[in-house]
Amino acid sequence: MITDVSENLIATRCAASTEPAGVVVRARDLAVSFPTITVATSVLEAARLLAGHNLPGLIVVDAAGCPVTVLPGTQVLRLVIPGYCREDPTLARMIDEPSADMFLRGAEGRTVADLLPSERPEPPVVAPEATVLEVAAVMAQKRSPLVAVAPPRRPMVGGITLDALLDRMLAA
């Protein structure tokens, strides 16, 4: 499934721009197969998945494949950057590149569970029959570059990226 991500995202963008005017597009029409992770996934594996497929984030699912949350790429980045650099980015200038590369090693042994807050807000999930505007509203409200498409309390159908959504909206 992971190797098809880039092709699926490109195919969705192309399909979105060729639909006739007046056709109602639903979330299920925009959703593409999207890689998922669990809370037990290692942070380094999550980072590799993000980088390897140029993804804006990852969808975290439970054992049944139901979306638990969306993990934006910036949250993965937060874990590998020392807290003092996050608090004062000018301190990062004092660290040479070889030393900076060592910070990624600090994520070894850590899992996605370490990235998630103890209280999780409702994940950015839309029903398959949601309209394009509903998808956009959820993305904006949750400040998420990615939404999962899933029926209530059911396994995920796919994901919609901000990029794919904007392509669809601008083509209309």
Side-chain angles (χ1 to χ4, degrees), residues 46-123:
R48 284 186 190 105
L49 190 56
L50 282 166
H53 297 284
N54 198 25
L55 301 172
L58 295 168
I59 300 170
V60 181
V61 296
D62 62 16
C66 298
V68 174
T69 191
V70 168
L71 186 64
T74 53
Q75 286 300 103
V76 176
L77 192 58
R78 279 182 59 82
L79 191 61
V80 300
I81 296 174
Y84 60 87
C85 288
R86 287 193 313 264
E87 291 171 18
D88 185 1
T90 59
L91 292 175
R93 189 175 305 133
M94 302 303 179
I95 301 169
D96 63 6
E97 286 301 314
S99 297
D101 292 341
M102 298 291 286
F103 290 124
L104 194 55
R105 290 195 187 129
E108 289 177 356
R110 301 193 71 186
T111 65
V112 168
D114 297 326
L115 298 171
L116 302 177
S118 55
E119 286 194 33
R120 293 187 202 138
E122 197 64 29

